[in-house]
mmCIF file of all heavy atoms in Angstrom:
data_model
loop_
_atom_site.group_PDB
_atom_site.id
_atom_site.type_symbol
_atom_site.label_atom_id
_atom_site.label_comp_id
_atom_site.label_asym_id
_atom_site.label_seq_id
_atom_site.Cartn_x
_atom_site.Cartn_y
_atom_site.Cartn_z
ATOM 1 N N SER A 115 0.804 -1.219 0.000
ATOM 2 C CA SER A 115 0.000 0.000 0.000
ATOM 3 C C SER A 115 0.840 1.275 0.000
ATOM 4 O O SER A 115 0.554 2.218 -0.749
ATOM 5 C CB SER A 115 -0.959 0.007 1.204
ATOM 6 O OG SER A 115 -0.248 -0.037 2.426
ATOM 7 N N ASP A 116 1.898 1.333 0.837
ATOM 8 C CA ASP A 116 2.695 2.559 0.874
ATOM 9 C C ASP A 116 3.450 2.765 -0.431
ATOM 10 O O ASP A 116 3.559 3.894 -0.928
ATOM 11 C CB ASP A 116 3.650 2.531 2.073
ATOM 12 C CG ASP A 116 4.598 1.334 2.059
ATOM 13 O OD1 ASP A 116 4.250 0.308 1.437
ATOM 14 O OD2 ASP A 116 5.678 1.424 2.677
ATOM 15 N N ARG A 117 3.957 1.701 -1.024
ATOM 16 C CA ARG A 117 4.689 1.823 -2.281
ATOM 17 C C ARG A 117 3.763 2.165 -3.437
ATOM 18 O O ARG A 117 4.125 2.950 -4.326
ATOM 19 C CB ARG A 117 5.451 0.522 -2.571
ATOM 20 C CG ARG A 117 6.651 0.329 -1.640
ATOM 21 C CD ARG A 117 7.230 -1.060 -1.728
ATOM 22 N NE ARG A 117 8.488 -1.163 -1.000
ATOM 23 C CZ ARG A 117 8.576 -1.349 0.307
ATOM 24 N NH1 ARG A 117 7.472 -1.446 1.033
ATOM 25 N NH2 ARG A 117 9.758 -1.435 0.905
ATOM 26 N N LEU A 118 2.566 1.601 -3.445
ATOM 27 C CA LEU A 118 1.608 1.926 -4.495
ATOM 28 C C LEU A 118 1.115 3.365 -4.356
ATOM 29 O O LEU A 118 0.937 4.068 -5.359
ATOM 30 C CB LEU A 118 0.429 0.952 -4.445
ATOM 31 C CG LEU A 118 0.763 -0.521 -4.716
ATOM 32 C CD1 LEU A 118 -0.477 -1.391 -4.561
ATOM 33 C CD2 LEU A 118 1.363 -0.693 -6.110
ATOM 34 N N THR A 119 0.906 3.817 -3.112
ATOM 35 C CA THR A 119 0.519 5.209 -2.877
ATOM 36 C C THR A 119 1.600 6.149 -3.384
ATOM 37 O O THR A 119 1.316 7.168 -4.031
ATOM 38 C CB THR A 119 0.264 5.450 -1.377
ATOM 39 O OG1 THR A 119 -0.820 4.622 -0.948
ATOM 40 C CG2 THR A 119 -0.081 6.906 -1.109
ATOM 41 N N ASP A 120 2.852 5.795 -3.129
ATOM 42 C CA ASP A 120 3.966 6.626 -3.576
ATOM 43 C C ASP A 120 4.136 6.570 -5.096
ATOM 44 O O ASP A 120 4.372 7.589 -5.747
ATOM 45 C CB ASP A 120 5.256 6.156 -2.895
ATOM 46 C CG ASP A 120 6.462 6.998 -3.280
ATOM 47 O OD1 ASP A 120 6.460 8.206 -2.980
ATOM 48 O OD2 ASP A 120 7.399 6.448 -3.888
ATOM 49 N N ALA A 121 3.984 5.377 -5.676
ATOM 50 C CA ALA A 121 4.213 5.218 -7.119
ATOM 51 C C ALA A 121 3.124 5.869 -7.959
ATOM 52 O O ALA A 121 3.402 6.439 -9.020
ATOM 53 C CB ALA A 121 4.314 3.737 -7.472
ATOM 54 N N PHE A 122 1.877 5.800 -7.484
ATOM 55 C CA PHE A 122 0.771 6.260 -8.303
ATOM 56 C C PHE A 122 -0.004 7.432 -7.694
ATOM 57 O O PHE A 122 -0.973 7.907 -8.291
ATOM 58 C CB PHE A 122 -0.196 5.098 -8.577
ATOM 59 C CG PHE A 122 0.472 3.904 -9.207
ATOM 60 C CD1 PHE A 122 0.479 2.673 -8.564
ATOM 61 C CD2 PHE A 122 1.103 4.011 -10.439
ATOM 62 C CE1 PHE A 122 1.096 1.565 -9.139
ATOM 63 C CE2 PHE A 122 1.731 2.914 -11.017
ATOM 64 C CZ PHE A 122 1.728 1.691 -10.376
ATOM 65 N N GLY A 123 0.395 7.897 -6.499
ATOM 66 C CA GLY A 123 -0.252 9.053 -5.866
ATOM 67 C C GLY A 123 -1.716 8.828 -5.561
ATOM 68 O O GLY A 123 -2.551 9.701 -5.827
ATOM 69 N N THR A 124 -2.058 7.693 -4.963
ATOM 70 C CA THR A 124 -3.456 7.323 -4.762
ATOM 71 C C THR A 124 -4.037 7.898 -3.474
ATOM 72 O O THR A 124 -3.335 8.087 -2.481
ATOM 73 C CB THR A 124 -3.614 5.796 -4.718
ATOM 74 O OG1 THR A 124 -2.851 5.277 -3.628
ATOM 75 C CG2 THR A 124 -3.140 5.160 -6.002
ATOM 76 N N THR A 125 -5.354 8.158 -3.502
ATOM 77 C CA THR A 125 -6.118 8.398 -2.286
ATOM 78 C C THR A 125 -6.547 7.050 -1.716
ATOM 79 O O THR A 125 -6.309 5.999 -2.323
ATOM 80 C CB THR A 125 -7.371 9.232 -2.590
ATOM 81 O OG1 THR A 125 -8.237 8.456 -3.442
ATOM 82 C CG2 THR A 125 -7.008 10.540 -3.293
ATOM 83 N N ALA A 126 -7.212 7.084 -0.546
ATOM 84 C CA ALA A 126 -7.696 5.826 0.040
ATOM 85 C C ALA A 126 -8.711 5.155 -0.872
ATOM 86 O O ALA A 126 -8.695 3.934 -1.056
ATOM 87 C CB ALA A 126 -8.311 6.091 1.414
ATOM 88 N N ALA A 127 -9.622 5.955 -1.451
ATOM 89 C CA ALA A 127 -10.624 5.377 -2.344
ATOM 90 C C ALA A 127 -9.964 4.779 -3.584
ATOM 91 O O ALA A 127 -10.353 3.707 -4.054
ATOM 92 C CB ALA A 127 -11.649 6.430 -2.741
ATOM 93 N N GLN A 128 -8.948 5.461 -4.133
ATOM 94 C CA GLN A 128 -8.248 4.926 -5.304
ATOM 95 C C GLN A 128 -7.471 3.657 -4.964
ATOM 96 O O GLN A 128 -7.443 2.714 -5.756
ATOM 97 C CB GLN A 128 -7.303 5.989 -5.876
ATOM 98 C CG GLN A 128 -8.015 7.127 -6.577
ATOM 99 C CD GLN A 128 -7.057 8.227 -6.998
ATOM 100 O OE1 GLN A 128 -6.065 8.504 -6.320
ATOM 101 N NE2 GLN A 128 -7.354 8.867 -8.119
ATOM 102 N N LEU A 129 -6.853 3.643 -3.788
ATOM 103 C CA LEU A 129 -6.151 2.430 -3.371
ATOM 104 C C LEU A 129 -7.139 1.291 -3.191
ATOM 105 O O LEU A 129 -6.876 0.147 -3.581
ATOM 106 C CB LEU A 129 -5.386 2.693 -2.073
ATOM 107 C CG LEU A 129 -4.517 1.538 -1.553
ATOM 108 C CD1 LEU A 129 -3.445 1.165 -2.564
ATOM 109 C CD2 LEU A 129 -3.884 1.915 -0.211
ATOM 110 N N GLY A 130 -8.298 1.597 -2.600
ATOM 111 C CA GLY A 130 -9.332 0.573 -2.456
ATOM 112 C C GLY A 130 -9.816 0.068 -3.803
ATOM 113 O O GLY A 130 -10.071 -1.124 -3.986
ATOM 114 N N THR A 131 -9.941 0.975 -4.780
ATOM 115 C CA THR A 131 -10.366 0.579 -6.121
ATOM 116 C C THR A 131 -9.306 -0.275 -6.799
ATOM 117 O O THR A 131 -9.629 -1.268 -7.476
ATOM 118 C CB THR A 131 -10.660 1.823 -6.974
ATOM 119 O OG1 THR A 131 -11.699 2.588 -6.348
ATOM 120 C CG2 THR A 131 -11.098 1.440 -8.382
ATOM 121 N N LEU A 132 -8.028 0.100 -6.650
ATOM 122 C CA LEU A 132 -6.943 -0.701 -7.209
ATOM 123 C C LEU A 132 -6.973 -2.107 -6.621
ATOM 124 O O LEU A 132 -6.832 -3.105 -7.344
ATOM 125 C CB LEU A 132 -5.599 -0.022 -6.921
ATOM 126 C CG LEU A 132 -4.334 -0.778 -7.360
ATOM 127 C CD1 LEU A 132 -4.337 -1.002 -8.869
ATOM 128 C CD2 LEU A 132 -3.084 -0.020 -6.934
ATOM 129 N N HIS A 133 -7.152 -2.191 -5.314
ATOM 130 C CA HIS A 133 -7.257 -3.491 -4.649
ATOM 131 C C HIS A 133 -8.482 -4.254 -5.156
ATOM 132 O O HIS A 133 -8.416 -5.450 -5.442
ATOM 133 C CB HIS A 133 -7.372 -3.255 -3.141
ATOM 134 C CG HIS A 133 -7.604 -4.497 -2.332
ATOM 135 N ND1 HIS A 133 -6.629 -5.440 -2.089
ATOM 136 C CD2 HIS A 133 -8.721 -4.955 -1.705
ATOM 137 C CE1 HIS A 133 -7.121 -6.411 -1.338
ATOM 138 N NE2 HIS A 133 -8.388 -6.140 -1.102
ATOM 139 N N ALA A 134 -9.614 -3.534 -5.310
ATOM 140 C CA ALA A 134 -10.874 -4.182 -5.662
ATOM 141 C C ALA A 134 -10.967 -4.555 -7.130
ATOM 142 O O ALA A 134 -11.824 -5.367 -7.501
ATOM 143 C CB ALA A 134 -12.041 -3.265 -5.298
ATOM 144 N N ALA A 135 -10.093 -3.990 -7.996
ATOM 145 C CA ALA A 135 -10.147 -4.319 -9.423
ATOM 146 C C ALA A 135 -10.007 -5.819 -9.635
ATOM 147 O O ALA A 135 -10.674 -6.418 -10.492
ATOM 148 C CB ALA A 135 -9.052 -3.566 -10.172
ATOM 149 N N PHE A 136 -9.152 -6.446 -8.845
ATOM 150 C CA PHE A 136 -9.001 -7.909 -8.876
ATOM 151 C C PHE A 136 -10.334 -8.582 -8.605
ATOM 152 O O PHE A 136 -10.767 -9.477 -9.339
ATOM 153 C CB PHE A 136 -7.961 -8.308 -7.832
ATOM 154 C CG PHE A 136 -7.770 -9.787 -7.647
ATOM 155 C CD1 PHE A 136 -6.647 -10.414 -8.141
ATOM 156 C CD2 PHE A 136 -8.699 -10.564 -6.958
ATOM 157 C CE1 PHE A 136 -6.457 -11.782 -7.965
ATOM 158 C CE2 PHE A 136 -8.535 -11.916 -6.785
ATOM 159 C CZ PHE A 136 -7.399 -12.530 -7.289
ATOM 160 N N PHE A 137 -11.014 -8.151 -7.557
ATOM 161 C CA PHE A 137 -12.205 -8.841 -7.086
ATOM 162 C C PHE A 137 -13.415 -8.578 -7.959
ATOM 163 O O PHE A 137 -14.301 -9.426 -8.078
ATOM 164 C CB PHE A 137 -12.479 -8.447 -5.637
ATOM 165 C CG PHE A 137 -11.356 -8.814 -4.712
ATOM 166 C CD1 PHE A 137 -10.466 -7.854 -4.258
ATOM 167 C CD2 PHE A 137 -11.165 -10.120 -4.323
ATOM 168 C CE1 PHE A 137 -9.423 -8.184 -3.424
ATOM 169 C CE2 PHE A 137 -10.116 -10.476 -3.482
ATOM 170 C CZ PHE A 137 -9.246 -9.503 -3.038
ATOM 171 N N LEU A 138 -13.481 -7.389 -8.592
ATOM 172 C CA LEU A 138 -14.602 -7.092 -9.471
ATOM 173 C C LEU A 138 -14.619 -8.058 -10.655
ATOM 174 O O LEU A 138 -15.642 -8.677 -10.960
ATOM 175 C CB LEU A 138 -14.502 -5.645 -9.962
ATOM 176 C CG LEU A 138 -15.558 -5.220 -10.983
ATOM 177 C CD1 LEU A 138 -16.956 -5.325 -10.390
ATOM 178 C CD2 LEU A 138 -15.291 -3.798 -11.471
ATOM 179 N N ILE A 139 -13.472 -8.188 -11.325
ATOM 180 C CA ILE A 139 -13.391 -9.122 -12.447
ATOM 181 C C ILE A 139 -13.582 -10.552 -11.959
ATOM 182 O O ILE A 139 -14.250 -11.368 -12.610
ATOM 183 C CB ILE A 139 -12.031 -8.974 -13.161
ATOM 184 C CG1 ILE A 139 -11.864 -7.548 -13.684
ATOM 185 C CG2 ILE A 139 -11.902 -9.985 -14.285
ATOM 186 C CD1 ILE A 139 -12.932 -7.118 -14.669
ATOM 187 N N TYR A 140 -13.005 -10.864 -10.822
ATOM 188 C CA TYR A 140 -13.116 -12.196 -10.232
ATOM 189 C C TYR A 140 -14.585 -12.551 -10.016
ATOM 190 O O TYR A 140 -15.031 -13.657 -10.347
ATOM 191 C CB TYR A 140 -12.352 -12.207 -8.922
ATOM 192 C CG TYR A 140 -12.024 -13.569 -8.346
ATOM 193 C CD1 TYR A 140 -10.712 -14.036 -8.343
ATOM 194 C CD2 TYR A 140 -12.995 -14.371 -7.771
ATOM 195 C CE1 TYR A 140 -10.383 -15.264 -7.787
ATOM 196 C CE2 TYR A 140 -12.686 -15.602 -7.225
ATOM 197 C CZ TYR A 140 -11.380 -16.039 -7.239
ATOM 198 O OH TYR A 140 -11.072 -17.263 -6.691
ATOM 199 N N ALA A 141 -15.343 -11.611 -9.464
ATOM 200 C CA ALA A 141 -16.754 -11.872 -9.176
ATOM 201 C C ALA A 141 -17.562 -12.058 -10.449
ATOM 202 O O ALA A 141 -18.375 -12.989 -10.564
ATOM 203 C CB ALA A 141 -17.329 -10.729 -8.340
ATOM 204 N N VAL A 142 -17.351 -11.181 -11.420
ATOM 205 C CA VAL A 142 -18.106 -11.246 -12.670
ATOM 206 C C VAL A 142 -17.865 -12.566 -13.389
ATOM 207 O O VAL A 142 -18.763 -13.122 -14.031
ATOM 208 C CB VAL A 142 -17.728 -10.053 -13.583
ATOM 209 C CG1 VAL A 142 -18.299 -10.226 -14.978
ATOM 210 C CG2 VAL A 142 -18.227 -8.742 -12.969
ATOM 211 N N ALA A 143 -16.649 -13.095 -13.268
ATOM 212 C CA ALA A 143 -16.276 -14.297 -14.013
ATOM 213 C C ALA A 143 -16.705 -15.595 -13.344
ATOM 214 O O ALA A 143 -16.556 -16.672 -13.951
ATOM 215 C CB ALA A 143 -14.755 -14.319 -14.225
ATOM 216 N N GLN A 144 -17.250 -15.552 -12.136
ATOM 217 C CA GLN A 144 -17.471 -16.794 -11.409
ATOM 218 C C GLN A 144 -18.482 -17.734 -12.053
ATOM 219 O O GLN A 144 -18.233 -18.927 -12.194
ATOM 220 C CB GLN A 144 -17.888 -16.488 -9.966
ATOM 221 C CG GLN A 144 -16.749 -16.034 -9.079
ATOM 222 C CD GLN A 144 -15.578 -16.987 -9.111
ATOM 223 O OE1 GLN A 144 -15.642 -18.079 -8.583
ATOM 224 N NE2 GLN A 144 -14.497 -16.569 -9.751
ATOM 225 N N ILE A 145 -19.647 -17.241 -12.435
ATOM 226 C CA ILE A 145 -20.643 -18.136 -13.025
ATOM 227 C C ILE A 145 -20.178 -18.664 -14.384
ATOM 228 O O ILE A 145 -20.290 -19.869 -14.646
ATOM 229 C CB ILE A 145 -22.018 -17.448 -13.101
ATOM 230 C CG1 ILE A 145 -22.561 -17.257 -11.668
ATOM 231 C CG2 ILE A 145 -23.001 -18.273 -13.933
ATOM 232 C CD1 ILE A 145 -23.890 -16.543 -11.601
ATOM 233 N N PRO A 146 -19.624 -17.813 -15.280
ATOM 234 C CA PRO A 146 -19.020 -18.395 -16.494
ATOM 235 C C PRO A 146 -17.951 -19.436 -16.180
ATOM 236 O O PRO A 146 -17.826 -20.439 -16.886
ATOM 237 C CB PRO A 146 -18.426 -17.175 -17.207
ATOM 238 C CG PRO A 146 -19.256 -16.029 -16.748
ATOM 239 C CD PRO A 146 -19.608 -16.347 -15.328
ATOM 240 N N THR A 147 -17.198 -19.200 -15.109
ATOM 241 C CA THR A 147 -16.184 -20.171 -14.703
ATOM 242 C C THR A 147 -16.823 -21.505 -14.337
ATOM 243 O O THR A 147 -16.307 -22.576 -14.689
ATOM 244 C CB THR A 147 -15.383 -19.636 -13.502
ATOM 245 O OG1 THR A 147 -14.597 -18.532 -13.932
ATOM 246 C CG2 THR A 147 -14.468 -20.702 -12.926
ATOM 247 N N GLY A 148 -17.945 -21.456 -13.618
ATOM 248 C CA GLY A 148 -18.638 -22.693 -13.281
ATOM 249 C C GLY A 148 -19.068 -23.462 -14.520
ATOM 250 O O GLY A 148 -18.952 -24.689 -14.582
ATOM 251 N N VAL A 149 -19.548 -22.727 -15.523
ATOM 252 C CA VAL A 149 -19.939 -23.365 -16.778
ATOM 253 C C VAL A 149 -18.724 -23.995 -17.456
ATOM 254 O O VAL A 149 -18.759 -25.144 -17.911
ATOM 255 C CB VAL A 149 -20.608 -22.338 -17.718
ATOM 256 C CG1 VAL A 149 -20.918 -22.984 -19.070
ATOM 257 C CG2 VAL A 149 -21.878 -21.782 -17.082
ATOM 258 N N LEU A 150 -17.614 -23.235 -17.505
ATOM 259 C CA LEU A 150 -16.391 -23.753 -18.130
ATOM 260 C C LEU A 150 -15.852 -24.970 -17.389
ATOM 261 O O LEU A 150 -15.423 -25.959 -18.002
ATOM 262 C CB LEU A 150 -15.329 -22.658 -18.183
ATOM 263 C CG LEU A 150 -15.610 -21.484 -19.127
ATOM 264 C CD1 LEU A 150 -14.573 -20.384 -18.923
ATOM 265 C CD2 LEU A 150 -15.614 -21.944 -20.579
ATOM 266 N N ALA A 151 -15.856 -24.892 -16.039
ATOM 267 C CA ALA A 151 -15.345 -26.013 -15.246
ATOM 268 C C ALA A 151 -16.186 -27.266 -15.452
ATOM 269 O O ALA A 151 -15.653 -28.381 -15.528
ATOM 270 C CB ALA A 151 -15.311 -25.632 -13.765
ATOM 271 N N ASP A 152 -17.516 -27.095 -15.550
ATOM 272 C CA ASP A 152 -18.389 -28.239 -15.769
ATOM 273 C C ASP A 152 -18.178 -28.858 -17.150
ATOM 274 O O ASP A 152 -18.266 -30.075 -17.318
ATOM 275 C CB ASP A 152 -19.858 -27.819 -15.621
ATOM 276 C CG ASP A 152 -20.267 -27.614 -14.164
ATOM 277 O OD1 ASP A 152 -19.589 -28.154 -13.279
ATOM 278 O OD2 ASP A 152 -21.266 -26.911 -13.924
ATOM 279 N N ARG A 153 -17.898 -28.033 -18.167
ATOM 280 C CA ARG A 153 -17.842 -28.525 -19.548
ATOM 281 C C ARG A 153 -16.438 -28.948 -19.989
ATOM 282 O O ARG A 153 -16.284 -29.927 -20.711
ATOM 283 C CB ARG A 153 -18.371 -27.451 -20.507
ATOM 284 C CG ARG A 153 -19.883 -27.296 -20.459
ATOM 285 C CD ARG A 153 -20.371 -26.259 -21.454
ATOM 286 N NE ARG A 153 -20.027 -26.607 -22.826
ATOM 287 C CZ ARG A 153 -20.683 -27.479 -23.587
ATOM 288 N NH1 ARG A 153 -21.735 -28.108 -23.105
ATOM 289 N NH2 ARG A 153 -20.309 -27.712 -24.831
ATOM 290 N N PHE A 154 -15.402 -28.213 -19.580
ATOM 291 C CA PHE A 154 -14.073 -28.436 -20.144
ATOM 292 C C PHE A 154 -13.056 -28.994 -19.158
ATOM 293 O O PHE A 154 -12.001 -29.486 -19.558
ATOM 294 C CB PHE A 154 -13.537 -27.135 -20.756
ATOM 295 C CG PHE A 154 -14.386 -26.616 -21.866
ATOM 296 C CD1 PHE A 154 -15.159 -25.476 -21.697
ATOM 297 C CD2 PHE A 154 -14.439 -27.270 -23.080
ATOM 298 C CE1 PHE A 154 -15.961 -25.004 -22.722
ATOM 299 C CE2 PHE A 154 -15.227 -26.797 -24.118
ATOM 300 C CZ PHE A 154 -15.999 -25.664 -23.939
ATOM 301 N N GLY A 155 -13.333 -28.909 -17.868
ATOM 302 C CA GLY A 155 -12.478 -29.551 -16.890
ATOM 303 C C GLY A 155 -11.248 -28.759 -16.495
ATOM 304 O O GLY A 155 -10.936 -27.709 -17.067
ATOM 305 N N PRO A 156 -10.512 -29.267 -15.508
ATOM 306 C CA PRO A 156 -9.421 -28.503 -14.898
ATOM 307 C C PRO A 156 -8.176 -28.371 -15.763
ATOM 308 O O PRO A 156 -7.409 -27.431 -15.589
ATOM 309 C CB PRO A 156 -9.122 -29.282 -13.621
ATOM 310 C CG PRO A 156 -9.536 -30.694 -13.939
ATOM 311 C CD PRO A 156 -10.744 -30.539 -14.818
#
């Protein structure tokens, strides 16, 4: 967090958004992932 704040000049909300970018895509992809896992395997 301190290095990212220094590197990109983030506020708390921006740092939270940077952290959450992972989880937003992760969440959206879950149900398609279930379909893929059921059909194509690991």
Side-chain angles (χ1 to χ4, degrees):
S115 61
D116 58 335
R117 288 168 171 82
L118 297 177
T119 298
D120 182 62
F122 304 119
T124 61
T125 65
Q128 288 174 326
L129 184 61
T131 300
L132 176 61
H133 175 74
F136 175 106
F137 299 103
L138 176 61
I139 300 300
Y140 196 109
V142 170
Q144 285 307 289
I145 292 178
T147 292
V149 176
L150 292 172
D152 285 339
R153 286 182 60 80
F154 299 109

